[in-house]
Amino acid sequence: MAGVSMKGIKLRIKSMESTKQITKAMEMVASSKLRRAQERVISSRPYFETLYDTLNTIAANSDDFDSPYLARREVKKSCYIVIAGDRGLAGGYNSNVLKLAYGDMQGKNACVLPIGKKALEFFRLHGVQIVTDAYAEAAEIAIGDCFTLSKLLAKDFLSGGFDELFLVYTNFVSVLSQSPASLKLLPLDCGPQKPAQLRDCLTLYEPDSNAVFNAIIPEYLGGLVYGALCESVAAEHGARRTAMDSATKNAEDMISDLSLKYNRARQGAITQEITEIVAGSEE
């Protein structure tokens, strides 16, 4: 009985050692990818920040300014861009952002454009209308895809396909902290316009400020989607690194505990054998 128990413990130790090697390798891969993802986050931010400042400048320094992207209308249908991961083993990364998006959709006539396999699987399972599944693999999406996606949605908004557009993603705070966020993209809010006497912009827009503003909007949306994708990818790698580090430590604790049990069982078996030998010699 002792031998069987020891054999089972030894097999369990080998299994946990293999698991530890896998989780350690995944942690190192996530750490390597995280550094590159952080660089992408930093480099992507100035682009859409500059576009946003330009949009505000145009809206604030133009007389009789009007754009369909700013118009508020009765909300009959809402559209969500939801960014999740392609794989699991990332702690609560996927579940947190999907829970936020699905909770925000409750009570609304909503459709979704999922980015990432987990997002596509989740909304298909819950019967939410899918705009397109062309962006199902987040790892394959490049910056050009983000601008193609934004132009498609901007065109659909103008045609009345939906009345408001939201972007749900995970904000990268730090390696140890990632927070899901929801951002309203359309209709756009550029803030209050300045009174005519306070306007100091001397820029002349051709053919006019409205045309330039409307042309910039799809580019701005594309920049926001790309920035959110970079944030989400960095958050996913950070969450996976943390999860795999925790799994590695748990594996080490289990190996230590199993080794202690193995040594106790081995010591018990040796003691029993010695006792049997001594008892046999006395007879």
Side-chain angles (χ1 to χ4, degrees):
M1 188 66 181
V4 174
S5 178
M6 288 172 57
K7 182 178 180 181
I9 294 173
K10 198 168 185 178
L11 289 174
R12 182 65 173 163
I13 291 174
K14 288 184 178 180
S15 174
M16 292 309 303
E17 287 175 343
S18 298
T19 301
K20 176 187 171 183
Q21 289 179 349
I22 294 171
T23 56
K24 188 64 178 178
M26 292 183 68
E27 178 191 350
M28 294 176 65
V29 171
S31 297
S32 176
K33 291 183 177 180
L34 177 61
R35 287 192 291 271
R36 294 196 297 270
Q38 285 179 290
E39 292 173 359
R40 287 176 61 191
V41 170
I42 295 172
S43 62
S44 68
R45 283 172 179 165
Y47 176 78
F48 59 86
E49 287 175 354
T50 301
L51 280 179
Y52 183 73
D53 290 339
T54 302
L55 292 173
N56 274 291
T57 300
I58 295 174
N61 293 279
S62 302
D63 293 314
D64 59 23
F65 181 81
D66 185 32
S67 171
Y69 292 110
L70 298 174
R72 262 66 177 172
R73 60 199 189 204
E74 182 184 358
V75 179
K76 298 179 180 178
K77 190 171 187 178
S78 303
C79 182
Y80 287 79
I81 305 170
V82 182
I83 303 175
D86 295 327
R87 297 178 296 150
L89 298 177
Y93 167 75
N94 289 309
S95 60
N96 289 339
V97 71
L98 295 174
K99 186 185 299 182
L100 174 65
Y102 190 65
D104 199 40
M105 292 178 186
Q106 297 306 301
K108 296 181 180 180
N109 178 21
C111 60
V112 63
L113 193 156
I115 297 178
K117 290 181 180 179
K118 293 297 182 180
L120 179 61
E121 293 171 0
F122 178 86
F123 290 109
R124 275 183 175 169
L125 180 64
H126 287 80
V128 180
Q129 179 187 347
I130 306 295
V131 176
T132 176
D133 60 359
Y135 306 97
E137 293 195 23
E140 301 297 325
I141 296 179
I143 187 170
D145 298 315
C146 295
F147 290 112
T148 302
L149 178 156
S150 66
K151 290 175 182 177
L152 170 69
L153 293 176
K155 183 179 179 181
D156 204 13
F157 176 78
L158 293 179
S159 65
F162 55 85
D163 304 296
E164 58 182 1
L165 177 64
F166 293 88
L167 175 62
V168 185
Y169 66 104
T170 303
N171 188 40
F172 178 75
V173 180
S174 68
V175 176
L176 300 176
S177 177
Q178 304 85 31
S179 60
S182 178
L183 177 65
K184 188 173 184 178
L185 300 184
L186 294 175
L188 194 69
D189 183 10
C190 284
Q193 296 187 23
K194 296 180 182 179
Q197 63 270 23
L198 297 179
R199 295 173 184 166
D200 53 5
C201 180
L202 302 177
T203 305
L204 179 64
Y205 298 100
E206 292 291 346
D208 56 60
S209 58
N210 278 359
V212 173
F213 184 89
N214 293 336
I216 290 177
I217 289 295
E219 302 296 320
Y220 170 67
L221 295 179
L224 278 179
V225 173
Y226 180 70
L229 181 63
C230 292
E231 293 271 356
S232 295
V233 169
E236 180 182 6
H237 291 318
R240 181 168 289 112
R241 178 187 178 279
T242 302
M244 291 301 101
D245 179 61
S246 178
T248 301
K249 290 179 180 178
N250 289 338
E252 290 174 348
D253 291 340
M254 291 187 70
I255 290 171
S256 177
D257 183 58
L258 288 169
S259 297
L260 181 61
K261 290 180 179 179
Y262 177 80
N263 290 334
R264 285 176 178 173
R266 182 170 176 270
Q267 184 178 6
I270 294 173
T271 302
Q272 183 178 357
E273 289 179 3
I274 293 175
T275 302
E276 290 174 353
I277 293 171
V278 170
S281 64
E282 289 178 352
E283 292 177 358

